Amino acid sequence: MLVLLPPSEGKASSGRGAPLKLESLSLPGLTAAREAVLAELVELCAADEERARQVLGLSEGLRGEVAKNVELRTAEARPAGQIYTGVLYDALDLPSLDAAAKRRAARSLLVFSGLWGAVRTGDRIPSYRCSMDVKLPRLGALGAHWRPALAEAVPEAAGGGLVLDLRSSSYAAAWKPQGELAARTATVRVLHAQIDPATGAEKRSVVSHFNKATKGRLVRDLLGAGAAPKNPAALVAALRDLGHAVEVREPARAGQPWALDVVVTQLH
C-alpha cells in the first residue's frame, strides 16, 4: 500500500546533523527536478526578500520564512516525518507508533511537496516554505513543473499495490493516477453527519479543518493494525473492521479512482 499525503504549511525547525543531500532522497528520478526548484528558490529568496515573500504567498508575519529558504543547502536536516507538523501529522503521531508500525510507515507513506516533489518520511530534509501552488518566475507553476517527473516516479513507487490518496487539491493536481493504476487508487472525503433537531433528519456536510485529523487517524489505525489491503474493496473492509464508517462510490468508468466517504458524528 502506498499512502499519498499532503505536507504541512507549518514545519518544525531543522534538526542537528548533516545538511541536505539531494542524491540521498527517495525517488531518485526526481533529483533533476528537485535541483531546478531548489536552485531557483534559493536564488529568489537571496536576491529580493519582498519579491520572494510575494511569490511564495507569505504574510508579513511569515517574512522570516524567506531567510530560512536562503539557507536550504547548508541548514541541518532531519527526517521529513519530524519536519512536517500540523493537524494531520499530530493525529498520525508517527513518534508514538510501535517499531513495526514505524517500519510500515517508512515503506508506505509518501509526502508530496512543492520543493521536493515527493519524499518518504525517513528522508532527511531541512525546514522550508514553498507550496505546490507557487509560481516561480522562471520555472512557472510548480504543479506543472512536477507533473512529468511524478508521472514516472509515483507509479514506480506504487508497484502493483493499492494507492490511498489523501492529498489536498493543489497537490493532487501534480499527479493523477492513470489507466489501471486508477482502479487501484482510492480517495477519501470526510463527511460530518448531524441530526437536524427540527426534523429528525440526518444532515451531512463536508469537513474542512477536521478532515485532516480524521485522515491522520485513518492512516495511524491502518499502520498500527498492520493492514495491507491490496485493492480499494479490501481497504474499505479494513477500515470498517477498524471501526470507521465508510461509504463507497465506485468508479463510474474505467480510469477513475474509487471515492470513499468516511462519515463522522463528532469533530475532534
Side-chain angles (χ1 to χ4, degrees), residues 35-228:
E35 174 58 39
V37 180
L38 178 62
E40 184 169 358
L41 182 62
V42 170
E43 179 184 344
L44 170 69
C45 292
D48 188 331
E49 181 182 86
E50 180 58 24
R51 185 185 185 206
R53 185 180 71 82
Q54 293 177 5
V55 168
L56 296 175
L58 301 177
S59 66
E60 181 64 34
L62 293 174
R63 181 179 291 274
E65 299 292 299
V66 176
K68 181 189 296 184
N69 283 346
V70 175
E71 307 297 328
L72 284 172
R73 293 190 186 274
T74 57
E76 296 170 328
R78 65 195 297 189
Q82 297 175 22
I83 289 288
Y84 294 116
T85 60
V87 176
L88 187 153
Y89 291 91
D90 285 347
L92 176 53
D93 196 9
L94 287 171
S96 70
L97 292 174
D98 63 34
K102 286 179 179 176
R103 289 193 294 271
R104 288 189 284 270
R107 293 193 303 267
S108 63
L109 303 186
L110 194 63
V111 184
F112 273 58
S113 163
L115 176 52
W116 316 115
V119 292
R120 300 284 189 181
T121 54
D123 287 336
R124 294 181 62 84
I125 58 173
S127 183
Y128 68 96
R129 183 62 74 115
C130 183
S131 64
M132 188 66 81
D133 55 9
V134 163
K135 184 176 182 179
L136 291 175
R138 291 199 303 272
L139 285 179
L142 290 181
H145 169 76
W146 282 113
R147 211 163 286 137
L150 289 170
E152 295 187 13
V154 178
E156 182 178 343
L162 168 74
V163 176
L164 174 55
D165 188 355
L166 302 179
R167 297 171 298 161
S168 52
S169 58
S170 61
Y171 291 92
W175 178 79
K176 295 182 179 180
Q178 303 292 327
E180 64 86 23
L181 181 54
R184 292 188 275 116
T185 300
T187 62
V188 170
R189 181 176 65 167
V190 181
L191 299 178
H192 183 209
Q194 297 175 286
I195 300 299
D196 187 331
T199 66
E202 183 182 79
K203 297 191 303 181
R204 291 183 177 183
S205 57
V206 177
V207 176
S208 54
H209 175 76
F210 292 98
N211 159 66
K212 298 177 182 178
T214 300
K215 289 178 177 179
R217 286 191 287 270
L218 289 180
V219 176
R220 181 180 177 83
D221 288 348
L222 290 168
L223 293 173

Side-chain angles (χ1 to χ4, degrees), residues 18-32 34-35 38 73 116 123-125:
L20 170 73
K21 292 183 179 179
L22 276 182
E23 66 276 10
S24 72
L25 299 181
S26 302
L27 282 63
L30 300 179
T31 301
R34 287 168 174 153
E35 174 58 39
L38 178 62
R73 293 190 186 274
W116 316 115
D123 287 336
R124 294 181 62 84
I125 58 173

